[in-house]
Amino acid sequence: GKFIRIEFNFAGQIAGANIEWYLLEKPRVTNQSKQERNYHIFYQFMKGAEKSVKDKLLIDRGPEGYTFTQRCQQTIQGVDDRAEFETLVKAMTTTGFKPEEQADLFRIIAAILHLGNVQFQATRNDEAVLREQVAAEKLCHVLGIQLSDFTRALLRPSIKAGKDWVTQSRTLQQVTFSVEALARSMYERMFGALVSRINAAMSRPDGKSTFIGVLDIAGFEILETNSFEQLCINYTNERLQQFFNRTMFVLEQEEYKREGIEWNFIDFGMDLQPTIELIDRTKPIGIMSCLDEECVMPKATDKTFTEKLHGLWAGKSDKYDVPRFALGFI
């Protein structure tokens, strides 16, 4: 979601703008449903960037050749990714992005694509090792880091225990989670830097009189399998919607009533309030409070967390249900 502040001067002319963003849908970077696709920039870059740029970043395949873009829709009917990329580059140039700034952004996009292709396998001791080095070497070349440093950080990271540093091996599952987390974090930081750069270009410190705010809370989705991030996105969006309804409609109608204005009260919907309370209440503890408790418990797992939730809410709330076969909750 985002909040756009459009600023005006004393003459009523647009004097600047500012964008605040929140809850970027990071899981989309690594996992998409079959009906969706990854962020458009990946496809636009692979189809629209000049060959010399892609050669420098070792991008030699289309979307079907990269793990993070091959398991979902790769085209959108009526959308020309090549033309969209040209429009993007023109927009960045117009906004004042220098060629080296644009190159850095595309470097991150290429690095994320290479990161998805790095493959691991488990040894007999259940320790993760690189299956082959080609994708990892490409990634390290693009980022300008040493392959040995990269593999050590992923496979045998050093963790501080008290005053000492301890080296720990990682399982295949742990390394897979680390790779996905790294890809999501890289994209989020790039996105944040991009928005900050745009804000700097649109900032006009002098001559501001007032502003109009535009809040975009689109993004509420109910997927077949919802991640924790999707739960947070849906929860936050619904919280904002309820706040907006109460501030703009409910309280306004109560003002009409106090002033004696004839008005047929309109119910703008608070039907999801019980679900919101199930998520954020503290007595009895809701989903978030229960998660906080489990996060500090030794040897806590997804299974112990969901079992605790089932014990608290199964059969006690019509907004909570237990799936028959899968791990999780409804």
Side-chain angles (χ1 to χ4, degrees), residues 44-277:
Q44 293 170 3
F45 172 69
M46 283 186 277
K47 295 182 180 180
E50 295 182 1
K51 186 176 184 301
S52 59
V53 174
K54 291 189 289 187
D55 287 346
K56 184 177 180 180
L57 299 175
L58 307 181
I59 298 296
D60 54 3
R61 311 175 191 178
E64 68 284 348
Y66 294 94
T67 302
F68 290 156
T69 57
Q70 67 183 190
R71 296 172 294 192
C72 55
Q73 293 284 345
Q74 298 176 16
T75 59
I76 300 178
Q77 186 175 1
V79 175
D80 185 343
D81 288 319
R82 188 183 303 275
E84 292 292 328
F85 184 78
E86 293 177 1
T87 302
L88 170 67
V89 173
K90 289 179 181 178
M92 288 196 294
T93 302
T94 302
T95 309
F97 281 76
K98 298 177 182 178
E100 54 268 26
E101 291 179 302
Q102 298 182 32
D104 286 340
L105 294 173
F106 299 145
R107 184 184 305 277
I108 298 301
I109 294 299
I112 293 173
L113 291 171
H114 290 309
L115 183 58
N117 278 11
V118 178
Q119 300 294 318
F120 303 90
Q121 63 186 18
T123 65
R124 293 182 178 180
N125 297 327
D126 202 27
E127 294 182 1
V129 295
L130 272 177
R131 179 177 296 176
E132 49 86 20
Q133 293 190 355
V134 176
E137 288 174 344
K138 289 182 178 181
L139 168 66
C140 293
H141 174 79
V142 169
L143 291 179
I145 60 178
Q146 294 295 321
L147 176 63
S148 58
D149 293 337
F150 171 73
T151 54
R152 187 187 309 113
L154 272 181
L155 303 177
R156 298 186 63 82
S158 296
I159 299 175
K160 192 171 185 179
K163 297 181 179 181
D164 300 323
W165 287 90
V166 179
T167 300
Q168 294 183 341
S169 59
R170 285 288 186 260
T171 66
L172 179 60
Q173 184 183 52
Q174 289 173 326
V175 172
T176 301
F177 287 160
S178 295
V179 166
E180 292 186 350
L182 178 58
R184 296 174 184 181
S185 180
M186 289 172 64
Y187 189 89
E188 181 184 43
R189 294 188 180 197
M190 179 197 67
F191 183 85
L194 177 64
V195 174
S196 297
R197 181 65 178 80
I198 293 173
N199 284 339
M202 296 190 298
S203 177
R204 298 294 184 272
D206 301 324
K208 298 175 183 176
S209 174
T210 186
F211 73 90
I212 293 176
V214 181
L215 176 63
D216 174 14
I217 60 173
F220 190 103
E221 292 182 282
I222 300 177
L223 308 176
E224 184 175 346
T225 301
N226 296 279
S227 64
F228 174 71
E229 289 92 343
Q230 191 63 48
L231 173 66
C232 291
I233 290 170
N234 290 350
Y235 166 71
T236 302
N237 284 338
E238 190 55 38
R239 264 293 190 185
L240 284 170
Q241 186 65 60
Q242 296 284 25
F243 176 78
F244 179 82
N245 286 353
R246 175 168 175 77
T247 303
M248 298 301 295
F249 300 122
V250 176
L251 296 181
E252 189 70 19
Q253 291 183 102
E254 291 177 355
E255 181 70 19
Y256 293 169
K257 185 177 180 180
R258 286 193 297 270
E259 294 180 0
I261 300 175
E262 292 186 9
W263 181 265
N264 293 324
F265 188 84
I266 301 175
D267 182 8
F268 286 93
M270 300 291 285
D271 54 313
L272 285 181
Q273 190 60 35
T275 303
I276 291 176
E277 292 177 353

